[in-house]
Amino acid sequence: MFTTRPTLQGTFGMVSSTHWLASQSAMAVLEDGGNAYDAAVAAGFVLHVVEPHLNGPGGEVPIILALAGGEVRVLCGQGPAPAGATIGHYRSLGLELVPGTGPLAAAVPGAFDAWMLLLRDHGTKSLAQVLRYAIEYAEDGHAPVERIGQTVETVRELFETEWTSSADVYLPGGKAPAPGELFRNPALAATWRRVIAEAEAAGEDRVSQIEAARAVWREGFIAEALLRQAGHPTMDTSGSRHTGTLAAADLAGWSATYETPATYDWNGWTLCKAGGWSQGPAFLQQLALLPSLASELPRYGSAEYVHLLIEGCKLAMADREAWYGDAADVPLGTLLSEPYNTARRALIDERASYELRPGSPDGREPALSAHASAVAAGEPGFDALGVPAAGVGEPTVAKDGTTRGDTCHLDIVDRWGNMIAATPSGGWLQSNPVVPELGFPLGTRLQMAWLDHGLPNSLTPGRRPRTTLTPSLALRDGVPVLAFGTPGGDQQDQWQLHFFLAVALRTPVRGGLDLQGAIDAPNWHNDSFPSSFFPRGMRPGSVTVEAGMDQDVIDALRGRGHDVTVAEAWSEGRLCAVARDPETGILSAAANPRGMQGYAVGR
């Protein structure tokens, strides 16, 4: 079939990411003898430089990795709420939601430590070797993609009047970054050069240097600068200036951790995701709601097929809202069990549902936040709050800095069979003011926690806010074969499910998985559940489809009661994927043409 690009195939190494410079930097590391984990760290730091509107060092990154011949592990780079981030504190400020921007929304930054832990435990390169690419692009400049300047223009007034340290970086001379001109961030380059210098002074071996870099982040000059910024009164989406809750003990006392993935078996595949502190199990629940045999699914791409996936997604996301979070045990065993899903599957009929219908695993009654309940009930002032109709995983940004769906992704497989998927996000240029001494801002992940007591996702000191970030890894007959993911906030596990099923159900190409064909296929999403992003709205019954979807399918969906919005062509998702055939050793990769910056490379 015709695709926008070929599915790449080779035997040495494959990389796919949401920016071509990150992909090629990772490939350069592979060519220099590094493995997939060295390459991922290098690419991750390049993404901080070339996609600053989508992620930054002050954000977070969940990582899922499969060692050659080893087990699959999740590396959690999602920091928790600081000790001072109590519901009582936020309520005392007159807030009903955590602001979408500013230091009150900042969790303990998790990305840097996760990348360092990955490099220490599974990489082979030194800190200086993996950071050189990011330093060069920050210091010498890179040609920025259009959306960086577009994002800066949406927050120009905020930068010029309130967040002046951000204006210094992103509006030099009053001009936003423009395509065809070099854009630099010398403060960020200087930060990494100083980290390397202090790390190398601590010892000659790579592990000692990495540990020293981690200490610099937690307790050294970086920690000091982050704390100064968190304590500065900052205008946020509430319309007021607030200081944050991040304290020295929060930074010093946290580190990234390894975890066992959540898994689900479907038609010979095993899908691996991060646990119930993330959105990830919603992907698994959507699979569990499908017929157990692929042959029992409606025809791929038909109205019946799309309807089934939309309605299953609504049920899974309703359970996400009621049961997922780090502040309580998540009953994943029951949520993924056959009896539970048989009962839930019976709720899907021929008509589109406009209700938020969480289930009752183990007979427990679901609990929703007051805000989510009001949104779901369509109470005045709470319906359709700020939910975008469409997007390719890029931010939707209001003048006050409100953002959603800002994320990057990378996938890598090397010649030895090591495989990794990572979804860096947070710490966007529009999340918080740039820390002047460092060249990057704090993140805003706490906006995803609720200011209601007793919920799995209640704001709780020391607990992680539920994240939408959700990389994926799939095994076939117990062997890792596929790593994939996408930006896109609440849409991530919708688009990824559609991609995976296209891979699993459609005809292979050149004897391998049709990764590019699955990525290029017309995509869609729904917003029939409370958004994870401030101001936490929803659009019951909504479905947004790409203009490339067959008109007969669109008409049939409307006939079933779906509120269909036809968005622009090539507007849904920014998927990346790599694969490895364990029998032949052939590696594959593909990347999304949507957004005009993702690229796959390899040989």
Side-chain angles (χ1 to χ4, degrees):
M1 63 170 291
F2 176 79
T3 58
T4 58
R5 307 166 181 175
T7 294
L8 306 184
Q9 289 187 323
T11 56
F12 180 83
M14 289 285 163
V15 180
S16 180
S17 87
T18 49
H19 196 290
W20 63 86
L21 292 180
S23 295
Q24 189 53 49
S25 297
M27 196 66 203
V29 174
L30 294 180
E31 295 284 5
D32 193 44
N35 64 21
Y37 310 119
D38 297 310
V41 176
F45 280 91
V46 169
L47 287 172
H48 296 330
V49 178
V50 301
E51 292 192 325
H53 57 311
L54 303 176
N55 79 137
E60 47 276 326
V61 58
I63 299 168
I64 189 162
L65 61 148
L67 300 174
E71 63 181 339
V72 177
R73 300 290 284 168
V74 170
L75 176 52
C76 173
Q78 173 60 63
T86 65
I87 290 174
H89 175 63
Y90 287 68
R91 291 288 187 181
S92 73
L93 298 173
L95 299 172
E96 295 183 359
L97 295 174
V98 177
T101 61
L104 272 181
V108 177
F112 182 86
D113 199 64
W115 290 128
M116 291 299 98
L117 209 61
L118 178 68
L119 183 66
R120 185 196 72 182
D121 295 344
H122 303 296
T124 65
K125 297 292 187 179
S126 70
L127 183 66
Q129 287 172 319
V130 296
L131 284 180
R132 57 169 288 205
Y133 306 93
I135 291 173
E136 289 171 1
Y137 287 126
E139 196 167 61
D140 301 331
H142 63 95
V145 295
E146 290 85 348
R147 290 185 183 271
I148 296 178
Q150 292 168 359
T151 302
V152 171
E153 288 295 347
T154 64
V155 288
R156 172 184 284 273
E157 182 179 353
L158 179 69
F159 280 14
E160 291 179 335
T161 60
E162 295 282 347
W163 297 8
T164 55
S165 60
S166 296
D168 292 341
V169 175
Y170 291 104
L171 287 166
K175 186 177 180 182
E181 300 177 4
L182 287 179
F183 175 70
R184 297 175 174 87
N185 188 342
L188 180 57
T191 295
W192 299 143
R193 286 199 182 279
R194 182 174 173 183
V195 169
I196 291 170
E198 294 193 16
E200 290 179 342
E204 295 185 0
D205 67 287
R206 59 181 296 274
V207 172
S208 295
Q209 292 176 5
I210 292 168
E211 285 301 311
R214 297 177 73 201
V216 168
W217 182 277
R218 291 173 177 165
E219 301 175 277
F221 80 93
I222 289 181
E224 293 169 359
L226 292 175
L227 294 171
R228 280 194 296 272
Q229 187 63 51
H232 182 74
T234 300
M235 179 65 70
D236 59 37
T237 52
S238 71
S240 299
R241 296 180 183 87
H242 294 111
T243 57
T245 61
L246 189 65
D250 300 313
L251 287 170
W254 181 83
S255 67
T257 53
Y258 292 99
E259 301 177 358
T260 301
T263 63
Y264 186 75
D265 295 333
W266 186 81
N267 278 272
W269 294 84
T270 300
L271 279 299
C272 304
K273 303 288 283 189
W277 55 269
S278 78
Q279 177 176 270
F283 179 104
L284 308 180
Q285 282 197 254
Q286 289 177 84
L287 276 179
L289 286 164
L290 297 177
S292 57
L293 298 177
S295 59
E296 297 175 356
L297 280 170
R299 178 177 54 83
Y300 174 85
S302 65
E304 293 80 7
Y305 175 88
V306 176
H307 172 79
L308 177 64
L309 267 58
I310 292 169
E311 295 304 301
C313 175
K314 292 175 185 177
L315 295 174
M317 288 301 197
D319 276 347
R320 182 198 75 166
E321 194 55 53
W323 300 108
Y324 291 19
D326 197 35
D329 291 333
V330 181
L332 273 186
T334 301
L335 292 173
L336 295 173
S337 69
E338 181 55 33
Y340 179 80
N341 284 285
T342 296
R344 295 285 278 166
R345 202 177 295 125
L347 297 176
I348 300 174
D349 58 26
E350 295 299 308
R351 300 291 298 173
S353 170
Y354 279 60
E355 299 177 76
L356 188 69
R357 299 182 289 179
S360 300
D362 304 318
R364 297 160 57 187
E365 285 300 310
L368 301 175
S369 72
H371 183 91
S373 297
V375 165
E379 294 181 13
F382 285 92
D383 55 324
L385 278 174
V387 179
V392 296
E394 302 287 354
T396 299
V397 188
K399 289 184 178 180
D400 61 4
T402 303
T403 64
R404 58 189 63 79
D406 326 49
T407 306
C408 308
H409 188 79
L410 64 88
D411 301 302
I412 304 174
V413 60
D414 64 27
R415 53 185 155 161
W416 301 286
N418 297 303
M419 188 175 288
I420 185 169
T423 309
S425 188
W428 318 301
L429 67 87
Q430 64 276 25
S431 64
N432 260 296
V434 166
V435 183
E437 305 94 319
L438 303 180
F440 63 85
L442 285 163
T444 56
R445 192 60 57 177
L446 290 188
Q447 67 179 290
M448 298 188 174
W450 293 112
L451 297 181
D452 300 77
H453 291 283
L455 302 173
N457 194 32
S458 296
L459 180 66
T460 306
R463 296 290 184 170
R464 294 164 289 190
R466 190 185 68 214
T467 180
T468 55
L469 308 177
T470 173
S472 301
L473 200 144
L475 292 72
R476 184 72 176 170
D477 298 322
V479 180
V481 297
L482 179 64
F484 58 100
T486 181
D490 294 312
Q491 287 79 51
Q492 289 182 32
D493 279 315
Q494 301 184 57
W495 293 331
Q496 289 186 73
L497 178 73
H498 308 162
F499 162 80
F500 168 72
L501 290 175
V503 167
L505 299 175
R506 294 174 66 176
T507 304
V509 294
R510 294 195 298 275
L513 301 173
D514 184 10
L515 302 183
Q516 194 64 51
I519 286 174
D520 287 353
N523 218 326
W524 68 91
H525 81 272
N526 82 88
D527 296 305
S528 295
F529 47 86
S531 169
S532 296
F533 294 88
F534 184 94
R536 314 300 297 269
M538 66 180 282
R539 296 170 58 227
S542 69
V543 178
T544 302
V545 304
E546 289 182 314
M549 182 175 283
D550 188 278
Q551 187 60 48
D552 290 342
V553 173
I554 295 172
D555 292 343
L557 291 174
R558 286 175 171 153
R560 291 171 179 262
H562 295 282
D563 180 11
V564 179
T565 297
V566 180
E568 295 179 1
W570 304 108
S571 61
E572 289 282 307
R574 286 203 296 143
L575 280 146
C576 302
V578 299
R580 179 179 183 271
D581 186 326
E583 294 184 3
T584 64
I586 292 175
L587 312 178
S588 303
N592 207 307
R594 300 165 176 89
M596 295 298 287
Q597 62 198 68
Y599 233 82
V601 295
R603 69 173 178 88

